[in-house]
Amino acid sequence: MANPSLLILAGDGIGPEVMDEVKRVISWFGDKRDLAFDVSEDLVGGAAYDAHGVPLHDDTMAKAQAVDAVLLGAVGGPKYDDLDFSVKPERGLLRLRKEMDLFANLRPAQCFDALADFSSLKKDIVAGLDIMIVRELTSGVYFGEPRGIHMEDNMRVGVNTQRYTEAEIERAARAAFELARKRSNKLCSMEKANVMESGILWRDVVNEVHQADYADVELSHMYADNGAMQLVRAPKQFDVILTDNLFGDILSDCAAMLTGSLGMLPSASLGLPMANGRPKAMYEPVHGSAPDITGQAKANPIACILSFAMALRYSFDEGAEADRLEAAIEKVLADGARTADLMGPEGGTPLSTTQMGDVILEALEALL
Ligand code: IPM
Ligand code: MG
């Protein structure tokens, strides 16, 4: 049988630096665990714009549709700030999400014991935190029409449209209910049903799906603003959170910071099953391209490596190998391995991106 295929789109800024460490991890699984992947690489974001004048070439889009999973680094940077909106680096990422129809974005926020002190919240509020945000990723105000900037009464008007169909809400809800069943069987859905019709529909559809097929799951609803407040007040009350594209963007950054560093958080974006049964999938760290530290060997590769662990789990049904990789990362953190983003007030010398990769590979060896 052919090896499963991966397309690496390292992108901009620290994307290529952290992805270099992921490539070493991928090779390790091929050499030591008999889990070889056919890896190809291409450009996305500003890197693609520089080469082709577009943030995602049609050939790259076609490759992404054909592989078993895409691994993405990060897109964007100040160099591209003045580009026309239609060719901004972010458009490349949004095109991948939309055309691959990756509607379920899984963003775990897990606080590693060794890092509980790095959170901006008190240690006892975040220690042991393990929540999962399911963000709808292909609709809502990110894609709704009409949109644009036009003139009205000699004034510019900016328009975006929050739009959700029942079907879009339903499939995101099903993904979240399924995940809840695999975790602690608890789901909290967040919207603004108090001010938005799309929020009223969201709540109705989630209730209908619940009653029809998931009555065993404990379901609650919360307005998204209260949700943001509860996330910083008492985050451990949550297990799986379901929310729309825009609220999910904001709430997931908020949840991420609870864990101490954005450099730690992976994500999976999943779509419908392909002919081989695997879901359409893209895996990427939650952090951005971090232009301020690009090229300085300071970036933390863990979020990107943990995204590959999610690929092992969700695309390749290799949960035990994903556990192994996560255990190796937990071990190096417990042993005090720290990149610059994880340096406490006591200081010390941080590991470089590559050195963090080194110790993770050593820990993987030691776990054999
Ligand atoms: C994210 C990012 C993206 C988003 C940007 C880069 C378009 O913030 O994945 O959370 O807004 O979805
Ligand atoms: Mg975001």
Side-chain angles (χ1 to χ4, degrees):
M1 237 172 57
N3 295 327
S5 53
L6 291 173
L7 173 64
I8 291 185
L9 302 174
D12 306 323
I14 60 168
E17 300 169 34
V18 293
M19 200 58 89
D20 280 343
E21 302 314 307
V22 178
K23 288 187 221 166
R24 294 168 71 202
V25 171
I26 294 171
S27 301
W28 186 90
F29 277 89
D31 295 342
K32 300 294 170 74
R33 302 302 304 158
D34 204 18
L35 210 72
F37 293 93
D38 289 337
V39 179
S40 54
E41 294 192 53
D42 211 332
L43 304 172
V44 69
Y49 179 81
D50 289 339
H52 307 299
V54 284
L56 188 76
H57 194 278
D58 288 344
D59 292 348
T60 315
M61 188 65 239
K63 281 187 211 167
Q65 295 284 19
V67 291
D68 289 312
V70 177
L71 302 181
L72 188 131
V75 296
K79 185 179 160 194
Y80 307 105
D81 280 352
D82 295 330
L83 285 186
D84 185 71
F85 186 74
S86 64
V87 289
K88 276 196 185 298
E90 290 78 7
R91 304 309 302 170
L93 175 61
L94 295 173
R95 181 176 175 199
L96 283 161
R97 291 175 178 173
K98 187 70 179 173
E99 291 192 19
M100 292 172 75
D101 200 17
L102 305 173
F103 60 88
N105 181 214
L106 279 42
R107 298 194 162 188
Q110 204 183 339
C111 184
F112 288 85
D113 285 346
L115 300 183
D117 281 325
F118 292 88
S119 174
S120 46
L121 297 192
K122 294 191 192 81
K123 186 170 179 170
D124 60 308
I125 302 211
V126 294
L129 179 76
D130 180 7
I131 59 186
M132 176 74 89
I133 297 187
V134 179
R135 166 188 178 194
E136 196 292 324
L137 200 61
T138 51
S139 185
V141 76
Y142 271 60
F143 298 99
E145 301 278 348
R147 64 185 299 162
I149 301 175
H150 65 267
M151 293 301 290
E152 255 175 54
D153 300 332
N154 282 324
M155 225 178 9
R156 283 171 305 162
V157 179
V159 177
N160 288 92
T161 302
Q162 165 83 336
R163 179 180 192 275
Y164 269 106
T165 67
E166 285 183 271
E168 288 166 342
I169 300 168
E170 177 175 342
R171 64 183 190 169
R174 285 190 184 275
F177 278 120
E178 290 291 337
L179 259 173
R181 273 195 182 146
K182 292 193 188 120
R183 295 168 54 100
S184 57
N185 223 31
K186 212 169 90 179
L187 177 66
C188 181
S189 172
M190 297 185 186
E191 26 55 14
K192 287 278 290 175
N194 50 347
V195 287
M196 298 166 77
E197 283 80 358
S198 59
I200 296 175
L201 182 70
W202 184 281
R203 192 175 284 218
D204 282 351
V205 173
V206 171
N207 277 330
E208 286 157 18
V209 173
H210 180 237
Q211 267 155 38
D213 290 318
Y214 298 95
D216 55 297
V217 178
E218 189 189 317
L219 172 67
S220 58
H221 302 275
M222 209 176 256
Y223 298 140
D225 55 340
N226 183 26
M229 192 261 277
Q230 296 296 336
L231 266 175
V232 290
R233 191 188 72 83
K236 285 189 253 181
Q237 70 185 285
F238 299 114
D239 186 36
V240 179
I241 293 173
L242 166 67
T243 190
D244 77 9
N245 204 345
L246 181 61
F247 294 139
D249 181 43
I250 296 164
L251 293 170
S252 65
D253 262 28
C254 177
M257 205 54 220
L258 301 174
T259 69
S261 169
L262 266 178
M264 298 293 300
L265 289 220
S267 79
S269 305
L270 306 176
L272 298 169
M274 299 183 282
N276 61 12
R278 296 187 175 115
K280 272 262 149 75
M282 180 161 77
Y283 300 87
E284 55 179 306
V286 169
H287 64 66
S289 59
D292 52 322
I293 59 162
T294 298
Q296 299 171 33
K298 282 185 184 165
N300 182 353
I302 291 180
C304 206
I305 295 174
L306 285 172
S307 299
F308 175 62
M310 291 188 88
L312 289 172
R313 180 170 289 120
Y314 293 105
S315 280
F316 304 114
D317 212 14
E318 295 283 355
E321 299 301 334
D323 288 347
R324 178 191 301 280
L325 182 48
E326 288 163 0
I329 287 168
E330 207 156 326
K331 173 75 170 51
V332 303
L333 292 171
D335 289 350
R338 301 282 184 265
T339 39
D341 55 310
L342 301 174
M343 297 307 294
E346 67 279 7
T349 313
L351 297 182
S352 70
T353 309
T354 314
Q355 286 168 332
M356 183 57 102
D358 291 341
V359 296
I360 291 169
L361 288 171
E362 280 163 28
L364 276 169
E365 284 292 329
L367 282 171
L368 280 179

